[in-house]
Each structure stands twice: as structure tokens, then as C-alpha cells.
Amino acid sequence: MGVVVESEAWEPSSSAFVFIFISCFLSLFLYPHFSRNDSSSSSLDHGSSSPSLARFRSKFLFIYSLASVMEGLWSVFGEFELAYYGVSREEMILSLCAGCAGALILGSFIGLLSDLIGHKRLCVFFCVLHLFVGVWKRITIHPSVWVASICLSIATSVYSFSFETWMVLDHEKRGFREDTLNDTFWLMTFFESVSLIGSQVLANYIIGGDLDKSIVSFSTAIKVLAVVAMFVICKGCEENSQDMSFREYRMCFRTYIFGDKRILLLVCAQSCLHFSTAVFWILWAPTLVADGRELNLGLVLPCLLGARILGSTIYPWLVSGPSSFRAEDCVQYAFIVMGLVLFIIAYDYQEIEFLVSLFCLFHACDGLLAPFLARLRTMYVPNQLRGGMISLSLVPANAAVLFVLLQGGYHRNIGNAAILMLAALGLFSAAGCMYLLRRSGKQPHQSWHKL
């Protein structure tokens, strides 16, 4: 008589979610109290004392949250859809390569174009891409995953620079104080992570028993979100297009971006971070189940995003809390910690609890880095060239991801451990860039506006 061994899928303990929630609450609740006692003003006080700034920030965060939900829905629902249509592993990898190639070829020019024609138009274009994919999937019986992958990869590229740059330019045009951007930067990361968790909840709700109805409901949800986002963007939002020709913009970009080693160091650091985070999202699930372990990935993901939320709430403490730190120092240390995390994961097998803890630490540093890097871009990069600078950092990152997908995923010439090691070396290189940037001093980019 055989013995039946029942296996139970591993999932994070409920105490982990409680700990993350309480930590985020205490960080948000206690920060204004300590900041009022130790400094004359805080970033949160600026937002509450200016009704116009509060309205501006609330409207932008609402738009940004809708965009984040759309981005999260595709990432969660995409795997279900590929399995539904019976797409093979090789076809999945090729579709990812097609999307990465599309972002590499077109995304490089979209950032430069957005600085000239205005980022509001690019934000609308982001919604149009999502609306197009939602309609196209609805009217075609067996939609090509290549077309969807290319469109969504371009939309992700637009998402990475247009919303932030549009907000910064509009913030400057309205005459708000520059230091109030600090609060908006970490709130963007906070609401983005919360929206990604919300998109997972919405996707799980949409996926029901009837698979055909789930596909239809998902397309409908995407179309509704895209239309609502376009309506809010177009209604009452100002446009910030450039008053210079392409030739003038090219000369300025060559002088103030390629001609400044400080900005090139920041570009290199951002590119390394883009590559490392992309590698992490590709390999985190295969790493957890590498030895056949069963676990509930649907509960691990909110835990990681919760750690990212917690990391974003630490940012105001470091910037204007009881003791402030230099941005370059914080970014450098965060890069080192993230590199060590990937190095440990790539070096040897780890227990599932320890792996998830390392993943949470990685995402906490990522949540801390996002507002810090946005602040560094404000310090060093002219706002009128901000979109082009961010898209420039995406070029080597997308090229490296495309190489990894082809050699590691399709041809299987590189193992997952070697890919994680490359990502770790990239993060250590980014830390080195921050060290050189700190030694070079602050870039007085305000002089560019006087030309």
C-alpha cells in the first residue's frame, strides 16, 4: 500500500504583512511629529499649507495611480493570457525580446521627442497604447503576442519618464517651491506600489471560472481605465511644449548631457538599476521554485510591493527628518545593499524564508532609490532635457536585457546565477558612479535656464 505525501504550498506568514503595514503606518504617522520638532519646516507641511499645490499634487497622483494600475494589470494578467492561448516557452521569450527590441529602437527617440512636443501628449499616447491593445485583443480571436508586447513595452518606456517630467515641468511653471518636489517624489513611489497591489487584486477578481468571460472583462477594464485617464489628463491639465527647434534641442542635449560627466554618471547608475530590476522581475519566480518548491506567488508579490512601500516612506526621514543625509550617499549605500542581495542569491541555494526576506530588502531599497534618483535628476539635469536623459539611460539597459533574454532565456547559454551576478556587478558599478558623483560636487543646472 502506497503512502500519499501531501504537499502544501508555502506562503508568507500573516505576521509579515502585519509588520509591513504597521511599519509603514508608524513611519507616516511619526514623521510629521519629529520633523516639526527638529526643523522649522517639512515637506509635508508645504503641501498642506498650499491649497493650490495640494490640488495639483492630488490630481497628478490620481492620474499616475491610474497609469500604474494599467501597467500592473498587464503584468499580472499577461501570464494567465499566455497560458490560456497555449503559448510555448520559446514564443514567450521571443515576444519579450520583440518588446525589448521595440523599446530599445523606439523608446530611445520617444524621450527626445517628448521634450519637444510636450509630455502631456506622451501621457495621452501612453493611454492610447493601452486602449489599442485592449480593443485589439477584444476584436481578434487569437491576438499576436508580439504586437501586444511591443506596444506595452513602448508604453512602459513612456511611463518611466513622461509622467515624472510632465509633473516637474508643470510644478516649475506654476511657481511652486522646488523643495516641495521631495514630497511628491516619494508619494509617486508610494502610490505606484499601492496601485500595483490594487491591480493584482483587480486581476484576481476578474479571473473567474469562465475563462472567455475573464478575457472580455479584462479588456473592458483596461479600456475603461485608459479612457478615464485620458479624460482626466486632457481636462484642465496644461501643456508644456518646448519653444526651441530640434537643432537647438540637439545642441543643448549634446552640451549639457553628453558634455557633463556628472550627468553621464547619473545616466550610467540609472541604466544599471533598470537592468538589475528587469533581471529581478524575470528571475524572481524561477529562483523561488528552482528546486521544485511549491509556493503561493500571488501572496509573495504583495509582500515585495509592501516592502517597496516601506522603503519609500523612509525617504522623507533621510531627507528632512531629525537628521538629513546627502542624496548621493544614500543612493550609493542602497546600490551596495541591492548588489549584495543579488550576489547572495546568485552564489548559493537559500531557504525559502531567507530568499523572500532578501527579496523584500531588495524592494525596500528600490522604493528608497526611486525618489532619491528623481531628486538627483532635479539637482543635476535641466528640466527641459529630463525626458531625453531618462530615455538615454534606458538604451543600454534594454540592450543588456535583450542580450540576456536571447542568450540566457532562448539559447540557454547563460545560467540564471550568472545573470544575477551580472545584475549584481551592475549595481556595484552604479554605487561606484554615485561615489564619483559625490566627489564631483553639485551641478548648478539653473544656469542653463538663463541661456
Side-chain angles (χ1 to χ4, degrees), residues 70-376:
M70 285 188 283
E71 283 285 294
L73 277 176
W74 285 117
S75 63
V76 175
F77 198 81
E79 297 180 1
F80 166 79
E81 186 183 30
L82 293 177
Y84 174 77
Y85 288 112
V87 179
S88 64
R89 176 184 179 276
E90 288 74 16
E91 290 175 331
M92 292 181 187
I93 296 176
L94 288 177
S95 67
L96 291 176
C97 292
C100 191
L104 176 62
I105 297 173
L106 299 178
S108 307
F109 302 99
I110 291 179
L112 304 176
L113 180 65
S114 63
D115 283 333
L116 290 172
I117 68 174
H119 292 274
K120 173 183 174 180
R121 292 187 176 93
L122 264 295
C123 293
V124 174
F125 178 64
F126 167 86
C127 300
V128 171
L129 286 174
H130 282 277
L131 180 62
F132 166 75
V133 175
V135 173
W136 181 69
K137 285 180 176 290
R138 181 66 183 90
I139 63 178
T140 55
I141 301 177
H142 298 290
S144 172
V145 294
W146 283 47
V147 176
S149 180
I150 293 174
C151 291
L152 295 178
S153 296
I154 296 175
T156 301
S157 298
V158 174
Y159 173 82
S160 64
F161 59 80
S162 277
F163 286 94
E164 177 190 313
T165 308
W166 177 38
M167 181 274 296
V168 172
L169 288 171
D170 204 3
H171 185 279
E172 180 185 47
K173 186 175 182 179
R174 293 171 184 265
F176 298 131
R177 292 177 54 179
E178 185 175 315
D179 57 355
T180 58
L181 281 171
N182 291 333
D183 192 22
T184 308
F185 287 148
W186 76 264
L187 285 174
M188 286 177 61
T189 308
F190 183 91
F191 277 88
E192 178 189 8
S193 303
V194 173
S195 300
L196 291 177
I197 296 177
S199 66
Q200 184 190 17
V201 175
L202 180 59
N204 291 331
Y205 175 77
I206 291 175
I207 300 175
D210 193 332
L211 299 182
D212 293 328
K213 290 183 179 180
S214 299
I215 298 291
V216 174
S217 301
F218 176 76
S219 300
T220 303
I222 287 292
K223 289 182 287 187
V224 170
L225 289 173
V227 171
V228 171
M230 283 191 293
F231 175 79
V232 178
I233 292 174
C234 296
K235 182 180 179 181
C237 294
E238 300 180 2
E239 182 59 273
N240 295 284
S241 57
Q242 295 278 23
D243 56 354
M244 69 173 76
S245 63
F246 175 75
R247 182 179 180 182
E248 294 173 334
Y249 177 83
R250 184 180 60 183
M251 294 177 59
C252 292
F253 198 87
R254 182 184 305 169
T255 302
Y256 293 97
I257 302 298
F258 290 108
D260 192 338
K261 67 176 183 180
R262 301 176 182 89
I263 298 180
L264 291 180
L265 288 172
L266 186 57
V267 168
C268 181
Q270 291 182 171
S271 181
C272 293
L273 178 63
H274 289 315
F275 170 70
S276 301
T277 52
V279 166
F280 178 88
W281 283 113
I282 293 173
L283 296 180
W284 76 277
T287 301
L288 290 177
V289 299
D291 62 345
R293 290 176 293 202
E294 296 184 7
L295 67 158
N296 193 337
L297 295 176
L299 291 180
V300 176
L301 181 58
C303 190
L304 304 183
L305 294 175
R308 191 171 188 265
I309 295 173
L310 179 59
S312 66
T313 62
I314 299 175
Y315 171 80
W317 287 87
L318 299 178
V319 173
S320 56
S323 58
S324 58
F325 298 87
R326 188 170 179 176
E328 292 89 338
D329 293 332
C330 296
V331 173
Q332 178 184 350
Y333 298 145
F335 276 136
I336 293 175
V337 173
M338 294 176 72
L340 289 174
V341 168
L342 293 186
F343 181 81
I344 294 173
I345 296 173
Y347 178 73
D348 195 8
Y349 168 84
Q350 305 293 338
E351 293 295 334
I352 184 66
E353 293 83 1
F354 187 63
L355 271 179
V356 174
S357 300
L358 290 176
F359 289 175
C360 289
L361 179 60
F362 183 91
H363 276 76
C365 292
D366 182 50
L368 179 64
L369 275 176
F372 265 119
L373 288 176
R375 185 188 182 192
L376 288 176

Side-chain angles (χ1 to χ4, degrees), residues 15-25 302-304 306-307 309-310 360:
S15 59
F17 297 99
V18 174
F19 171 77
I20 293 175
F21 176 80
I22 294 178
S23 299
C24 293
F25 175 79
C303 190
L304 304 183
I309 295 173
L310 179 59
C360 289

